[in-house]
Amino acid sequence: MARIQAGDHAAFEQLVERHLSPIHAYSYRLCRSRADADDLAQETFFKVWQRAETWRPSPVRVSTWLHRIAHNTFIDVWRRRDNAEPLDDQTAIETPLENDSAESPDSRTVVIGRALDTLPLNQRTAVALSLISDFSMAETAVIMGMTPHAVESLIARARRALRKHAERASGMEG
Amino acid sequence: MNLNTFLDLLDQYGPEPVKWPETERETMLEFLQTSPEAARQTALSKGIESDLARLEHTVTPGLKGRIVALAAAQEPSFFDPFLSWITASFWRPALLSVALLALSVLLGMALPSVPSENEASFDIAGLLLDEVYTHYE
């Protein structure tokens, strides 16, 4: 980051190389659209380049900082949309958005990917960060701007919803 | 421990017993042994977490190049670090204004006084009058 702050393009390119895949994956989970995920990832890294001087060495990892920028950028755009999906509606979204899945075509991962897409935004975000990207509860809370307790609650609701979705998919009722 | 309580804890802490709270772990493990439904739901939850961990993602081809090119096209100007500093906090523009004002005052006090236009006019008039008197004497 110090080299990027000094305007080193090669260092910036290294940063993009290292973090683009997880940032793009996270963006895809938020946007549920490949084109929007491309734009969000691009905007995230552009902000990093423009505002590199604001980064200060801290206990927060660079990846956490990057995900927070991506999250805040997405929320800024989401707030401006008239028909934005609610943050934490209890009603799951029944229809996945597009067929262009960014996941591999394994049937079980396709099923879980689509199940994840039906979760309300906040639950989907918490799962993407904590259960997929392996951020700790504290890091997830920093990225989402919430308390760890609130994140735990979101993940519990998400697990319950995914269990019920898996039961329906397997044809069993629990 | 009943099924609903077990499922609440399962959803809160996940399907791995090592992550269950110590105060509940033994009770949960005992219930797991005796409840086929609890065992089924735990297996379901384990499958979900395993599937989530196996989700793979492919970045759009060419995206990295676009991002790097966009940054390269936005070369910072000479004044960017100064502008970034001055706009970083609300008090910095005020500090700069006070500093400029103080500098102006000091500069004004340090410069030698310049004769006013009226003083210069009298001097010139005096010279001209001297010239006239000399001519007529």
Side-chain angles (χ1 to χ4, degrees):
Chain A
M1 281 306 299
R3 288 165 54 201
I4 294 173
Q5 286 176 323
D8 187 340
H9 273 291
F12 176 73
E13 190 169 344
Q14 281 180 10
L15 182 88
V16 174
E17 176 74 36
R18 192 178 307 158
H19 295 282
L20 179 57
S21 183
I23 290 294
H24 192 264
Y26 179 58
S27 301
Y28 183 78
R29 283 295 152 225
L30 292 177
C31 305
R32 297 179 300 157
S33 152
R34 178 174 281 280
D36 288 345
D38 290 352
D39 290 343
L40 178 57
Q42 182 171 293
E43 183 65 23
T44 297
F45 283 102
F46 188 63
K47 282 185 177 179
V48 168
W49 176 248
Q50 280 195 315
R51 302 177 189 177
E53 70 274 7
T54 65
W55 182 80
R56 296 289 179 268
S58 73
V60 174
R61 293 187 292 160
V62 170
S63 60
T64 306
W65 182 65
L66 290 172
H67 278 78
R68 176 120 176 104
I69 293 175
H71 183 84
N72 287 347
T73 303
F74 172 78
I75 293 297
D76 287 344
V77 173
W78 169 81
R79 282 192 177 130
R80 288 198 292 267
R81 285 186 181 166
D82 291 332
N83 58 346
E85 61 171 304
L87 271 177
D88 197 18
D89 198 305
Q90 295 300 316
T91 305
I93 302 154
E94 290 300 327
T95 308
L97 279 187
E98 57 178 38
N99 294 324
D100 177 23
S101 171
E103 272 75 46
S104 58
D106 175 88
S107 61
R108 283 185 61 156
T109 55
V110 168
V111 168
I112 198 66
R114 287 182 178 166
L116 194 54
D117 285 347
T118 66
L119 294 180
L121 177 59
N122 265 356
Q123 291 180 27
R124 194 163 78 236
T125 305
V127 168
L129 292 170
S130 187
L131 301 186
I132 299 176
S133 298
D134 251 352
F135 283 104
S136 67
M137 204 63 67
E139 287 173 323
T140 302
V142 165
I143 293 167
M144 294 183 68
M146 291 182 170
T147 64
H149 180 73
V151 171
E152 285 172 5
S153 176
L154 287 172
I155 290 174
R157 294 209 294 269
R159 280 191 174 117
R160 187 173 309 127
L162 290 173
R163 263 195 308 110
K164 292 188 185 308
H165 194 281
E167 282 186 317
R168 283 197 300 271
S170 66
M172 299 178 68
E173 292 296 326
Chain B
M1 178 71 62
N2 57 41
L3 182 63
N4 283 341
T5 305
F6 179 87
L7 293 181
D8 283 346
L9 290 168
L10 180 69
D11 290 332
Q12 188 173 356
Y13 297 106
E16 297 303 325
V18 293
K19 294 186 180 176
W20 296 346
E22 280 188 33
T23 51
E24 304 282 0
R25 188 179 301 136
E26 197 175 326
T27 312
M28 290 177 72
L29 284 170
E30 284 174 8
F31 188 78
L32 200 53
Q33 300 285 334
T34 60
S35 168
E37 182 59 19
R40 190 179 73 81
Q41 294 290 339
T42 303
L44 205 58
S45 188
K46 278 185 180 174
I48 289 167
E49 306 239 335
S50 170
D51 291 342
L52 286 173
R54 288 191 303 118
L55 277 174
E56 290 177 4
H57 186 81
T58 54
V59 178
T60 305
L63 181 60
K64 178 195 159 191
R66 290 209 314 262
I67 291 170
V68 172
L70 185 66
Q74 298 291 327
E75 279 294 338
S77 77
F78 176 79
F79 296 105
D80 271 354
F82 171 73
L83 291 174
S84 296
W85 183 86
I86 201 76
T87 56
S89 296
F90 74 93
W91 56 267
R92 290 180 182 177
L95 178 66
L96 180 65
S97 302
V98 168
L100 286 173
L101 183 63
L103 183 65
S104 302
V105 169
L106 286 172
L107 199 60
M109 290 170 62
L111 285 174
S113 62
V114 177
S116 70
E117 284 186 0
N118 289 339
E119 287 177 8
S121 299
F122 284 138
D123 285 343
I124 292 172
L127 285 173
L128 288 175
L129 284 171
D130 284 346
E131 197 63 29
V132 169
Y133 292 149
T134 304
H135 178 76
Y136 284 105
E137 275 177 3

